Amino acid sequence: MAAQWAKFIVVLALYLLFLYWVKSWWGLLVVPFIFDAYITKKIRWQWWKDAEGPVRFVMSWVDALVFALVAVYFINQFFFQNYVIPSSSLEKSLLTGDYLFVSKVSYGPRIPQTPLTMPLTQHTLPLIGTKSYIEWPHWDYRRVKGLGNVQLNDIVVFNYPAGDTILTELPYQTEYYRMVYDYGQQLYAQNVGMPDFSTMNQQQVYELYKDVYQMGRQYLLANPVQYGSIASRPTDRRENYVKRCVGLPGQTLQVKNRIVYLDGKPNKEPDNVQYTYRVKLKEHMPDELMQELGISMEQLAQLNRDGVMPLTKQAAAALAMRKDVVESVELNTEIRGDDQVYPRNAAYGWTRDNYGPLWIPKKGEKIDLNMNNIAIYERPIKVYEGNDLVVKNGQIFINGQHATSYTFKMDYYWMQGDNRHNSADSRYWGFVPEDHIVGKPIFIWWSSDPDRSGFKGIRWSRLFRMVDGIK
């Protein structure tokens, strides 16, 4: 009996420390059940052990499975989870096929907003393709104290902000806003004709893009067989993304000739930052050269498709030296269309390489609102902070009141990929609110090259490499 009391005291102490950490005293309702499990044993928790035949066999497996799922859910929610790099947006800092150990305690874990979720899933059940979570109950955002805060140039895992709305028939289910604006602009150009933005003021441009958005949305709604229905996802059930934080709350960010400036000072570029280069080959690139320079089949496919290849400065210089393979290697300065970058407003004239300046919202700080900046801050105010915001005759109304300023309730961050010309990041979908922050990658526990199989595909040199050392 003394041993049972000792176990009970240890378990109870750990449980109470956890409740104190998360500040959720509803958990005290569980204490009598813990006491019964170790001391009084009035409830027959493992009644099936007295059963005979297949019942005992089946229930032993059910018991083990339920315990494993609960343990995984608890660990993933509050301590750490696995994350695999699915794309090349952070190459060559993190590579496609890197498996990351992501710490939740580094920035403090979030109390689950949609607690009834199947463990080991993000939003969809495998095989059957239905939602893996129940939206009720839904709790407000709250984060418990962690070991620190997001720091400049940290690599961060977060929920994709633009993943709040989805088209259910799209394979990746994260394309809603791009589809709305692309189709909306096509329809507007066909039916009305796109104007010369240089002759328009910000109010006119703002109202035009509202019409563009509505046209695109109506087109998608009118084609449910092709696109499915328009649905939404709660914050913690949106896709997980990983990028580098290049702008902190309260800083003014600007991108000038590809370099990020913060409050007028250039931020250090990542050691392995990539840009696209125009490469002209004399012959097929040898496999040994690709391995030597870290060039993937994806990069080679992009060269064949678009005539450009993402490279680090070091790889570009080394490739240019191989006159037997290449004719020329030149930095690609051609920009994407202005209408692609956040906030989808061509009047700003921003591009991926020359962007801003814009101020990154900080909790408790106020910004003056007007028609020159409402397109930038409308989404944080309306979508992320849950206000009713409308613009009428050039005047801004928040929750029915005329507003000339707004005080933010959350901190926001600016995220970019190290593969700067091949990254869908804050330049295309805007700020990352603090309630979207998931955790901090600590180390790479496994890495496999998708271009190679078997032992040849294992990147042994990357195993257990610390992510903080990747600058």
Side-chain angles (χ1 to χ4, degrees):
M1 191 64 178
Q4 290 299 107
W5 273 100
K7 291 179 182 178
F8 167 70
I9 291 171
V10 170
V11 170
L12 180 63
L14 292 174
Y15 183 66
L16 292 177
L17 283 172
F18 173 76
L19 294 183
Y20 176 77
W21 181 42
V22 301
K23 293 181 172 55
S24 180
W25 300 114
W26 285 102
L28 291 174
L29 296 174
V30 178
V31 171
F33 296 99
I34 298 176
F35 182 78
D36 179 77
Y38 284 94
I39 306 300
T40 57
K41 301 184 184 296
K42 298 293 185 183
I43 302 174
R44 296 181 63 202
W45 298 98
Q46 295 182 321
W47 57 268
W48 47 267
K49 285 190 174 181
D50 297 330
E52 298 292 337
V55 173
R56 178 170 181 170
F57 175 79
V58 171
M59 287 305 302
S60 66
W61 278 100
V62 170
D63 181 75
L65 181 61
V66 169
F67 177 81
L69 289 176
V70 171
V72 167
Y73 176 87
F74 179 81
I75 292 170
N76 278 359
Q77 186 63 54
F78 293 100
F79 295 98
F80 65 85
Q81 72 179 68
N82 173 55
Y83 180 79
V84 60
I85 299 294
S87 69
S88 60
S89 68
L90 267 170
E91 292 195 354
K92 293 298 190 213
S93 299
L94 293 177
L95 306 181
T96 304
D98 282 348
Y99 286 75
L100 306 178
F101 178 96
V102 179
S103 166
K104 297 289 187 72
V105 298
S106 293
Y107 305 134
R110 295 172 296 182
I111 299 299
Q113 292 166 276
T114 48
L116 299 182
T117 302
M118 179 62 69
L120 299 177
T121 65
Q122 182 60 22
H123 49 67
T124 305
L125 287 172
L127 301 179
I128 59 177
T130 60
K131 289 195 301 186
S132 63
Y133 59 92
I134 299 173
E135 295 192 38
W136 188 92
H138 183 81
W139 297 337
D140 291 337
Y141 163 68
R142 186 165 70 85
R143 187 182 297 274
V144 303
K145 188 174 179 59
L147 300 177
N149 300 311
V150 177
Q151 301 296 312
L152 188 63
N153 296 321
D154 275 1
I155 295 176
V156 181
V157 175
F158 56 92
N159 295 119
Y160 176 43
D164 61 336
T165 306
I166 61 170
L167 296 167
T168 56
E169 286 301 313
L170 285 187
Y172 300 103
Q173 299 185 328
T174 56
E175 300 293 315
Y176 171 75
Y177 292 104
R178 181 182 65 80
M179 300 288 283
V180 164
Y181 281 106
D182 286 351
Y183 283 121
Q185 287 185 189
Q186 292 176 28
L187 292 169
Y188 196 95
Q190 292 171 8
N191 298 324
V192 183
M194 294 303 288
D196 180 0
F197 290 105
S198 65
T199 65
M200 303 173 66
N201 60 38
Q202 284 287 1
Q203 180 181 339
Q204 292 170 324
V205 175
Y206 176 88
E207 291 172 350
L208 181 151
Y209 274 95
K210 287 297 180 184
D211 292 340
V212 165
Y213 179 86
Q214 290 302 323
M215 281 188 176
R217 180 179 172 84
Q218 290 303 317
Y219 176 82
L220 295 176
L221 286 171
N223 292 274
V225 174
Q226 185 174 0
Y227 301 109
S229 60
I230 297 175
S232 63
R233 285 182 181 146
T235 299
D236 56 346
R237 295 299 103 203
R238 296 168 193 169
E239 295 282 357
N240 286 331
Y241 271 32
V242 59
K243 308 285 181 187
R244 190 181 296 274
C245 176
V246 300
L248 294 174
Q251 293 182 318
T252 297
L253 176 140
Q254 186 173 12
V255 181
K256 295 190 289 188
N257 296 323
R258 301 177 303 280
I259 305 300
V260 174
Y261 285 76
L262 299 171
D263 298 328
K265 298 179 180 179
N267 186 33
K268 177 188 178 296
E269 284 196 306
D271 293 340
N272 291 310
V273 67
Q274 285 197 143
Y275 297 104
T276 54
Y277 288 77
R278 295 199 170 278
V279 179
K280 293 184 179 180
L281 295 176
K282 291 182 178 178
E283 60 178 51
H284 179 73
M285 191 176 296
D287 185 65
E288 61 271 16
L289 179 60
M290 292 177 63
Q291 291 192 53
E292 178 187 340
L293 300 182
I295 296 173
S296 66
M297 293 301 295
E298 181 181 352
Q299 290 171 270
L300 191 60
Q302 185 176 350
L303 177 63
N304 294 331
R305 183 182 67 248
D306 304 326
V308 295
M309 173 186 289
L311 296 167
T312 64
K313 294 177 182 178
Q314 299 86 346
L319 186 60
M321 297 292 291
R322 290 294 301 266
K323 300 300 183 183
D324 57 323
V325 177
V326 300
E327 290 184 12
S328 62
V329 179
E330 298 178 353
L331 181 65
N332 176 31
T333 56
E334 183 178 313
I335 60 174
R336 295 183 185 180
D338 294 344
D339 60 348
Q340 296 295 313
V341 297
Y342 179 84
R344 301 289 301 216
N345 186 320
Y348 288 107
W350 297 349
T351 70
R352 65 181 183 184
D353 289 341
N354 290 280
Y355 188 95
L358 84 171
W359 178 75
I360 304 171
K362 184 176 182 179
K363 183 178 180 179
E365 292 201 3
K366 181 188 294 185
I367 188 171
D368 293 332
L369 294 178
N370 51 60
M371 292 309 302
N372 291 324
N373 65 10
I374 188 59
I376 299 171
Y377 299 108
E378 178 179 16
R379 183 169 174 82
I381 295 170
K382 186 175 181 178
V383 177
Y384 303 142
E385 303 203 352
N387 297 284
D388 176 44
L389 187 153
V390 295
V391 177
K392 298 178 182 178
N393 301 320
Q395 293 188 315
I396 302 164
F397 295 85
I398 298 177
N399 300 324
Q401 301 295 316
H402 180 238
T404 58
S405 64
Y406 180 79
T407 301
F408 286 94
K409 303 172 187 175
M410 289 193 292
D411 284 328
Y412 291 79
Y413 302 89
W414 197 260
M415 306 289 186
Q416 287 188 198
D418 293 356
N419 193 355
R420 292 288 164 86
H421 285 171
N422 273 20
S423 175
D425 51 39
S426 285
R427 292 169 295 176
Y428 298 96
W429 35 254
F431 307 104
V432 176
E434 66 173 75
D435 66 347
H436 284 58
I437 300 297
V438 173
K440 181 179 182 179
I442 301 300
F443 61 84
I444 302 166
W445 65 268
W446 181 257
S447 184
S448 57
D449 189 339
D451 295 337
R452 294 170 177 82
S453 59
F455 282 103
K456 291 182 179 180
I458 301 174
R459 303 186 183 111
W460 298 100
S461 62
R462 297 187 66 80
L463 301 191
F464 300 103
R465 182 178 179 183
M466 301 302 291
V467 175
D468 261 354
I470 302 173
K471 300 297 186 182

